[in-house]
Amino acid sequence: LTVMVPGTQPLRFLCIAYGLAWSEVTASNLLLLDETGKVLEGSGAPDPTAFFIHSRIHKKHPHAVCVLHTHMPHATALCCLEDMELKMINQNCLRFYDEVAYDTDYKGLVLGTVEGDRMAQAMGSNRVLMHRNHGVITCGDSVAEAFDELYYLERCAHVQCLAYATNRPLATVSDEICVEYKKDVVKFRGCWAEKHFAARKR
């Protein structure tokens, strides 16, 4: 998890210190980093792979206020397939229509800006990146939006894995319906995300 600090130039962002479990992470123990990875405030150090992925996306992505990267089981399972496309087969999937980038070039641990820049370029302006043999990344204009994308991405991947398990043909929603659905989602994206995130914190 990384979050840009508003109004900072050059770039400053908050990052989880390496070695903490998710249950241990609080607002007060996040690290404040500059764009070179120097710790400006806080105790500990970032995971270098997280820094080189997240920092490059923050610099290049128009919606990267918050960047989340995980290896959730069902979404990652799709990333392990030759065809790792998220199929438009149920309503929740439609929010991701034309929003997912697919990076098929896995090169191991990301330990430098060259590979970080390559992944950021592969993601482009999409809100989701699915990285073959690795995992997924989501971006949002807020923590709530990035979390909401991540949550529903995993739910959609779970449904797709279950559908694959039937060994029967998938019923794909038409492009025309996907486009219309996406227009409606854009109207409510921020509101839905904020309410969902608030409920999760209660």
Side-chain angles (χ1 to χ4, degrees), residues 3-62:
V3 185
M4 289 178 61
V5 177
T8 57
Q9 195 59 249
L11 174 67
R12 300 286 186 269
F13 59 93
L14 300 169
C15 181
I16 294 173
Y18 181 68
L20 293 178
W22 281 105
S23 60
E24 297 178 295
V25 177
T26 64
S28 62
N29 63 25
L30 292 172
L31 304 177
L32 178 64
L33 307 178
D34 69 12
E35 60 185 74
T36 70
K38 181 181 178 181
V39 178
L40 304 176
E41 293 180 19
S43 177
D47 178 342
T49 62
F51 170 75
F52 285 118
I53 294 172
H54 289 233
S55 64
R56 311 317 286 178
I57 293 174
H58 277 300
K59 287 176 70 70
K60 296 176 182 293
H61 197 291

Side-chain angles (χ1 to χ4, degrees), residues 42-103:
S43 177
D47 178 342
T49 62
F51 170 75
F52 285 118
I53 294 172
H54 289 233
S55 64
R56 311 317 286 178
I57 293 174
H58 277 300
K59 287 176 70 70
K60 296 176 182 293
H61 197 291
H63 297 290
V65 172
C66 179
V67 179
L68 299 178
H69 169 51
T70 69
H71 305 152
M72 299 177 298
H74 298 97
T76 303
L78 294 187
C79 293
C80 296
L81 300 178
E82 186 65 30
D83 176 9
M84 61 180 183
E85 181 183 356
L86 185 71
K87 307 297 185 183
M88 299 296 107
I89 57 173
N90 74 80
Q91 179 168 286
N92 283 334
C93 295
L94 306 190
R95 66 185 285 150
F96 297 110
Y97 180 77
D98 210 24
E99 288 276 13
V100 183
Y102 300 94
D103 183 359

Side-chain angles (χ1 to χ4, degrees), residues 77-201:
L78 294 187
C79 293
C80 296
L81 300 178
E82 186 65 30
D83 176 9
M84 61 180 183
E85 181 183 356
L86 185 71
K87 307 297 185 183
M88 299 296 107
I89 57 173
N90 74 80
Q91 179 168 286
N92 283 334
C93 295
L94 306 190
R95 66 185 285 150
F96 297 110
Y97 180 77
D98 210 24
E99 288 276 13
V100 183
Y102 300 94
D103 183 359
T104 60
D105 194 8
Y106 176 69
K107 295 182 179 294
L109 292 176
V110 181
L111 294 173
T113 57
V114 172
E115 179 61 4
D117 284 336
R118 189 198 66 77
M119 291 180 66
Q121 183 174 3
M123 190 171 194
S125 61
N126 295 287
R127 291 177 180 269
V128 177
L129 177 70
M130 297 181 70
H131 189 204
R132 175 164 288 161
N133 307 119
H134 187 183
V136 299
I137 297 171
T138 64
C139 291
D141 294 308
S142 65
V143 175
E145 285 192 20
F147 171 79
D148 201 53
E149 302 284 14
L150 192 66
Y151 175 88
Y152 281 104
L153 179 64
E154 176 65 3
R155 299 283 288 192
C156 294
H158 189 185
V159 169
Q160 186 166 326
C161 288
L162 291 173
Y164 279 152
T166 68
N167 202 30
R168 298 170 66 181
L170 301 179
T172 304
V173 179
S174 71
D175 287 341
E176 291 77 12
I177 293 176
C178 288
V179 169
E180 290 305 312
Y181 183 90
K182 189 67 179 298
K183 289 177 182 177
D184 292 333
V185 166
V186 169
K187 302 172 188 174
F188 302 106
R189 184 195 301 272
C191 175
W192 287 348
E194 292 295 337
K195 289 183 180 299
H196 181 197
F197 193 54
R200 289 280 166 178
K201 293 188 292 181

